[in-house]
């Protein structure tokens, strides 16, 4: 299902074929192709589609179709009255879908940061789709290779937006992986300032930095993105653990969130 923006039909057809060739039936919910202004249907339509697939006992996993913007508008409602069938499913996505990952994780469901259906349109996108299918099949090689304990992964702008809200996870003793796309370094600095000043961030075991594709500043910022991350980690008393293999690209690896009880 598409919690944010509409899915392209060409992408849906390509991924359906790839999945079928591996013996999987991928059902693309009709909601994925709706358009209501910026969104893949109204908030009510997107929430209804999510609730439908959560409650459908024939659905083994819920794979987010694409990001964009909009899942925050339904995430808190999705946390309430979770259907019993949802407990046996896994939910996979990233980018704007991070709002839903955070909320469903807090509700006690199994979620993971990883490639989405629309990623097939990226350069090398079929490899990303293959990686997601590998993980659904139980292949641990699809995971981010540096994981050594409980971990969360988010787009930085999404993380900054959900910190301090009911969607914020409990980061106690977990590592936090972040990535970003198309932001100036001064904005990245601003988002990391906000994240690092939240009480929940102090519980993080370590921060690791995924790929950050920067937009050019109008003038030199004076440091690089790793120096920015190290600075805010140091001020918050959180270890900086180096780099991570996640990002808004076809190389994005999978990071399962720790399972918790609601």
């Amino acid at each position: 299902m598409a919690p944010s923006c509409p899915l392209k039909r060409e992408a849906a057809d390509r991924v359906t074929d790839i999945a079928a060739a591996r013996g999987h039936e991928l059902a693309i919910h009709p909601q994925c192709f709706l358009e209501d202004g910026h969104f893949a249907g109204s908030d009510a339509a997107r929430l209804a589609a999510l609730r439908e697939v959560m409650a459908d006992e024939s659905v083994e996993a819920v794979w987010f179709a694409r990001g964009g913007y909009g899942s925050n508008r339904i995430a808190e409602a999705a946390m309430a009255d979770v259907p019993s069938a949802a407990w046996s499913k896994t939910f996979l996505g990233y980018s704007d879908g991070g709002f839903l990952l955070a909320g469903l994780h807090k509700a006690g469901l199994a979620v993971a940061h990883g490639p989405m259906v629309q990623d097939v349109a990226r350069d090398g996108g079929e490899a990303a789709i293959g990686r997601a299918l590998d993980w659904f099949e139980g292949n641990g090689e699809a995971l981010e290779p540096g994981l050594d304990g409980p971990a969360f992964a988010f787009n930085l702008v999404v993380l900054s937006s959900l910190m301090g809200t009911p969607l914020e996870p409990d980061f106690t003793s977990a590592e936090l992986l972040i990535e970003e796309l198309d932001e100036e370094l001064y904005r990245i600095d601003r988002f990391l300032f906000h994240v690092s000043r939240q009480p929940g961030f102090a519980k993080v075991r370590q921060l690791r930095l995924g790929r950050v594709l920067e937009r050019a500043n109008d003038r030199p910022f004076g440091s690089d993105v790793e120096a920015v991350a190290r600075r805010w980690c140091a001020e918050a008393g959180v270890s900086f653990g180096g780099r991570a293999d996640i990002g808004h690209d076809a190389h994005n690896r999978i990071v399962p969130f720790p399972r918790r009880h609601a």
Side-chain angles (χ1 to χ4, degrees):
M1 60 86 57
S4 304
C5 297
L7 177 66
K8 302 296 185 183
R9 290 188 181 274
E10 179 184 359
D13 291 343
R14 287 176 63 190
V15 177
T16 299
D17 289 344
I18 293 170
R22 295 178 59 151
H24 303 293
E25 181 182 359
L26 179 64
I28 305 292
H29 196 285
Q31 171 270 323
C32 294
F33 305 111
L34 296 180
E35 294 190 33
D36 184 358
H38 180 89
F39 308 104
S42 66
D43 292 349
R46 288 179 291 116
L47 179 60
L50 178 58
R51 286 193 177 280
E52 178 185 334
V53 296
M54 289 173 72
D56 189 338
E57 294 184 355
S58 70
V59 173
E60 298 180 27
V62 178
W63 194 3
F64 298 158
R66 64 166 298 174
Y69 170 73
S71 73
N72 61 307
R73 296 163 64 111
I74 63 173
E76 289 185 54
M79 295 167 60
D81 300 322
V82 173
S84 59
W87 297 100
S88 63
K89 305 182 194 305
T90 300
F91 298 78
L92 178 67
Y94 75 109
S95 187
D96 184 77
F99 289 106
L100 274 176
L101 297 181
L104 297 177
H105 161 77
K106 288 200 74 172
L109 302 181
V111 307
H113 163 109
M116 294 184 291
V117 174
Q118 186 65 37
D119 284 335
V120 75
R122 298 185 185 277
D123 289 341
E126 290 197 6
I129 300 306
R131 192 177 310 114
L133 294 173
D134 285 345
W135 184 72
F136 282 131
E137 294 167 358
N139 185 347
E141 292 184 5
L143 296 175
E144 202 285 330
L147 299 178
D148 62 356
F152 296 86
F154 290 100
N155 170 265
L156 176 58
V157 172
V158 169
L159 176 65
S160 180
S161 298
L162 65 81
M163 293 291 281
T165 77
L167 301 174
E168 180 181 334
D170 180 357
F171 293 118
T172 301
S173 301
E175 67 173 350
L176 178 59
L177 285 60
I178 58 172
E179 53 83 19
E180 190 48 76
L181 172 73
D182 199 27
E183 294 286 351
E184 295 93 335
L185 192 49
Y186 78 87
R187 293 181 185 271
I188 294 168
D189 185 77
R190 180 193 297 160
F191 293 130
L192 278 169
F193 159 76
H194 174 73
V195 168
S196 67
R197 289 303 189 265
Q198 299 300 306
F201 185 74
K203 302 176 183 180
V204 170
R205 176 169 61 87
Q206 68 174 9
L207 178 85
R208 285 202 286 140
L209 186 64
R211 286 177 289 283
V212 176
L213 305 179
E214 300 171 35
R215 183 186 301 174
N217 273 12
D218 59 354
R219 58 185 299 169
F221 187 71
S223 63
D224 61 26
V225 66
E226 186 168 319
V228 167
R230 287 181 179 277
R231 179 255 174 88
W232 294 117
C233 281
E235 292 208 8
V238 170
S239 296
F240 179 75
R243 304 307 293 251
D245 194 7
I246 64 169
H248 261 73
D249 54 35
H251 304 291
N252 191 23
R253 301 292 283 272
I254 293 171
V255 180
F257 290 12
R259 193 71 183 265
R260 67 181 295 274
H261 296 292

